Amino acid sequence: MQRVTITIDDDLDSELARFMRARGYDNRSEAIRDLARSGLQQAAMEISGHRPCVAALVYVYDHEARELPKRLTRDFHKHHDLAQATLHVHLDEESCMEVTVLKGQGSDVQHFADHIIAERGVRHGHVVYLPADKKTHSHIDTAHRRRSSRQRRHQHV
């Protein structure tokens, strides 16, 4: 193991202490190692390029913002190959939160998530990436094709 010395301000130290208490860490080194691993994994997925990934796009938006729900719906329809499912939650009279599962090439997922988060009226947004090996990715593709096939059959009835 390598010994590394870092300097952090008092506010960050307080946040770290709260994090450690909430998660039951016995010492700072363990907590910082886990935070570093998590941050590095997230950063690696954000720059994964053409590697397959799955991600959760979480964002809060003002549903009263001019044409925003229509723009979001249009964007998701244009990228139906990436967007797998969305959970919609009404937070209060004007705010909604959506959690969308995205699947695809890392660069495509990142570009689409950045676009949604940048929409005027979207207040907060964050993407959590998870690696998807080829086996996982092909399983997701197969399940999606079966579901799409069933949906097409039901539409023709």
Side-chain angles (χ1 to χ4, degrees):
M1 280 211 188
Q2 299 293 318
R3 181 177 299 269
V4 177
T5 303
I6 63 169
T7 304
I8 59 175
D9 63 38
D10 292 338
D11 291 339
L12 185 56
D13 185 50
S14 295
E15 281 187 56
L16 181 58
R18 279 191 295 278
F19 173 79
M20 290 172 56
R21 280 191 303 277
R23 300 281 177 101
Y25 284 98
D26 291 329
N27 64 62
R28 285 184 184 161
S29 291
E30 291 174 13
I32 290 172
R33 272 194 297 271
D34 283 352
L35 288 167
R37 282 186 198 105
S38 177
L40 289 169
Q41 179 184 16
Q42 184 71 15
M45 290 309 301
E46 289 174 8
I47 59 172
S48 67
H50 296 292
R51 291 177 43 207
C53 74
V54 291
L57 168 60
V58 182
Y59 57 99
V60 175
Y61 69 96
D62 177 357
H63 78 89
E64 302 261 334
R66 183 179 165 106
E67 302 289 317
L68 180 59
K70 283 184 182 180
R71 289 194 316 267
L72 291 172
T73 299
R74 183 186 64 237
D75 290 340
F76 279 98
H77 278 279
K78 282 183 182 176
H79 296 90
H80 66 277
D81 56 323
L82 295 175
Q84 302 301 297
T86 299
L87 168 68
H88 181 92
V89 179
H90 302 278
L91 298 176
D92 56 35
E93 290 183 15
E94 60 188 36
S95 299
C96 295
M97 178 176 77
E98 291 193 348
V99 180
T100 300
V101 175
L102 302 173
K103 174 203 56 84
Q105 302 302 321
S107 57
D108 295 337
V109 167
Q110 179 70 48
H111 183 262
F112 180 64
D114 288 344
H115 173 76
I116 295 298
I117 292 169
E119 281 280 358
R120 192 173 4 118
V122 173
R123 294 185 183 130
H124 308 285
H126 185 71
V127 187
V128 177
Y129 293 88
L130 301 168
D133 58 22
K134 289 181 183 183
K135 183 178 178 182
T136 303
H137 210 261
S138 67
H139 174 72
I140 293 170
D141 283 341
T142 302
H144 179 69
R145 280 193 300 275
R146 275 193 300 239
R147 186 174 63 242
S148 295
S149 176
R150 280 195 306 267
Q151 288 170 343
R152 283 192 300 274
R153 282 195 306 264
H154 284 61
Q155 288 172 352
H156 294 288
V157 174

